[in-house]
Amino acid sequence: MFFRKKQDVYHRVHTYGSPILNKKAESVKNINEEINAIATEMIETMLCFDGIGLAGPQAGVGRRIVAFGIPEHRDDEEQAILSPGEALLLPKMPFVIVNPEITWRSDETEIKEEGCLSLPGIYGEVERPKMVTFTAETLDGKTISCDCDGLLARCVQHECDHLDGKLFIERMTEEEFGIIKPKLNRLKKRGRKTQFMRIVGGE
Ligand SMILES: [Zn+2]
């Protein structure tokens, strides 16, 4: 587990080795006060750790909730025009979605480096569909359907994997996985023995 403190509040992210990361998260039945409180806490945790996405299980919540904090402006020039999903959601960041479901994946794939707050210090290339369509509920009870590309498409797939108990390292090639394996073992051991924390800001 990984802790950070901001304004006297400790934010906690479950790291590799924590069993909740391998469990399928449950659907949210009602978007009530409890879910809103979880969403607020998840956004704070994500921002505290400088993450761009956080799924329920990472925050110790076995529910299908995802927080996003994808920057609106990127220097990624290859994609000057935003996909409809990015145009809709990027101005609303940080943003929380509930019960997301990927309903379409492009045949075209892309290999990009990924990282994860639950795997601090570990990065690796992952091949995924370049574009996806997903549906989800928003905290104000609306259902949205988003066609997305770019970082949002990648992030949605990474976070939906978390909800199904899957980490990005499971999608790496065997060769790539071999490179990070020693680091992974160290992380798992350390996670079991200690609950280390990093304290930033708000002191
Ligand atoms: Zn992750």
Side-chain angles (χ1 to χ4, degrees):
M1 221 170 301
F2 209 23
F3 286 85
R4 267 195 187 179
K5 188 186 180 190
K6 202 170 196 180
Q7 277 146 9
D8 291 326
V9 182
Y10 280 101
H11 293 289
R12 197 172 73 169
V13 169
H14 285 250
T15 49
Y16 183 68
S18 181
I20 196 164
L21 295 177
N22 306 113
K23 282 189 194 131
K24 199 174 156 85
E26 281 176 31
S27 297
V28 172
K29 301 245 157 48
N30 295 306
I31 298 169
N32 52 22
E33 258 177 55
E34 185 207 355
I35 297 298
N36 272 283
I38 291 171
T40 304
E41 165 64 25
M42 280 176 61
I43 285 177
E44 282 170 12
T45 301
M46 175 184 70
L47 297 178
C48 180
F49 283 90
D50 303 318
I52 57 168
L54 187 77
Q58 294 181 280
V61 177
R63 316 285 279 276
R64 302 186 86 79
I65 308 173
V66 171
F68 288 113
I70 299 171
E72 193 175 351
H73 302 287
R74 295 179 292 131
D75 352 296
D76 185 3
E77 287 191 11
E78 61 185 52
Q79 197 204 343
I81 301 166
L82 293 179
S83 59
E86 291 171 287
L88 176 74
L89 293 185
L90 295 193
K92 299 190 206 290
M93 296 287 162
F95 194 72
V96 168
I97 57 171
V98 172
N99 299 331
E101 198 115 25
I102 295 172
T103 55
W104 176 81
R105 294 168 171 84
S106 65
D107 290 333
E108 188 188 348
T109 60
E110 206 171 47
I111 297 172
K112 290 238 159 156
E113 191 179 72
E114 292 189 22
C116 180
L117 293 181
S118 295
L119 293 152
I122 291 173
Y123 300 91
E125 290 190 333
V126 181
E127 182 174 14
R128 294 189 190 268
K130 188 177 182 298
M131 291 165 278
V132 294
T133 300
F134 75 91
T135 59
E137 288 160 55
T138 59
L139 290 177
D140 52 7
K142 292 193 181 99
T143 300
I144 51 169
S145 175
C146 296
D147 299 323
C148 34
D149 197 340
L151 191 53
L152 180 60
R154 178 145 300 250
C155 225
V156 165
Q157 295 179 74
H158 177 117
E159 303 307 335
C160 284
D161 272 353
H162 272 302
L163 300 181
D164 291 331
K166 195 163 185 157
L167 298 171
F168 83 86
I169 50 172
E170 294 167 56
R171 293 196 182 272
M172 289 167 69
T173 60
E174 234 173 84
E175 201 188 338
E176 283 261 313
F177 187 79
I179 299 169
I180 58 139
K181 192 120 198 274
K183 254 188 173 179
L184 218 48
N185 290 338
R186 280 199 297 274
L187 179 64
K188 201 169 183 174
K189 255 189 228 156
R190 191 171 53 178
R192 271 204 202 118
K193 273 194 202 148
T194 57
Q195 295 182 326
F196 66 108
M197 58 176 107
R198 291 204 291 181
I199 300 171
V200 288
E203 293 293 287

